[in-house]
Amino acid sequence: MKKKDSKTLEMTVRFFIDNMSVESPIGKKRIVCWDCGMAYTKANKSVGIKSVSGQPFQCLEDIVPLIKEILRKQNVLMVSANRRPRIMNPQRRSK
């Protein structure tokens, strides 16, 4: 049995698709995917993160603000990995 990693926060982004496909000029079928969908987080009890059921987004530009809002509500303090002096305060509200 694999031990669950307690040092990660798992998020899932799901896009809506229909049972439609489009044929490209070279005859290859392509699946149609909408730019809207749902975002979910999985619980990690070892660090106190609760699971969040589907939060909708309406376009690709909504995904990053939605992730920021979900993390803020979970009281997660996000620090930039590329060492830029930017900290996203979990108490700051998204617009």
Side-chain angles (χ1 to χ4, degrees), residues 2 21 50 56 65-66 87 90:
K2 188 177 176 184
S21 61
K50 299 173 186 166
L66 178 62
I87 295 177

Side-chain angles (χ1 to χ4, degrees), residues 68-69 72-73 86-95:
K68 288 179 182 180
E69 183 65 17
R72 185 191 67 76
K73 286 181 180 177
R86 185 178 104 196
I87 295 177
M88 296 165 67
N89 189 333
Q91 296 175 358
R92 187 176 127 194
R93 290 192 169 189
S94 295
K95 295 178 181 176

Side-chain angles (χ1 to χ4, degrees), residues 32-94:
V32 175
C33 175
W34 299 102
D35 65 348
C36 56
M38 305 289 270
Y40 303 84
T41 58
K42 208 171 191 182
N44 187 337
K45 294 177 183 172
S46 65
V47 292
I49 294 173
K50 299 173 186 166
S51 76
V52 174
S53 59
Q55 298 288 316
F57 58 90
Q58 300 302 319
C59 62
L60 294 175
E61 291 81 16
D62 289 347
I63 295 173
V64 172
L66 178 62
I67 290 171
K68 288 179 182 180
E69 183 65 17
I70 290 171
L71 294 177
R72 185 191 67 76
K73 286 181 180 177
Q74 294 281 350
N75 204 27
V76 173
L77 179 68
M78 183 169 286
V79 181
S80 178
N82 60 4
R83 301 185 186 212
R84 293 188 314 189
R86 185 178 104 196
I87 295 177
M88 296 165 67
N89 189 333
Q91 296 175 358
R92 187 176 127 194
R93 290 192 169 189
S94 295

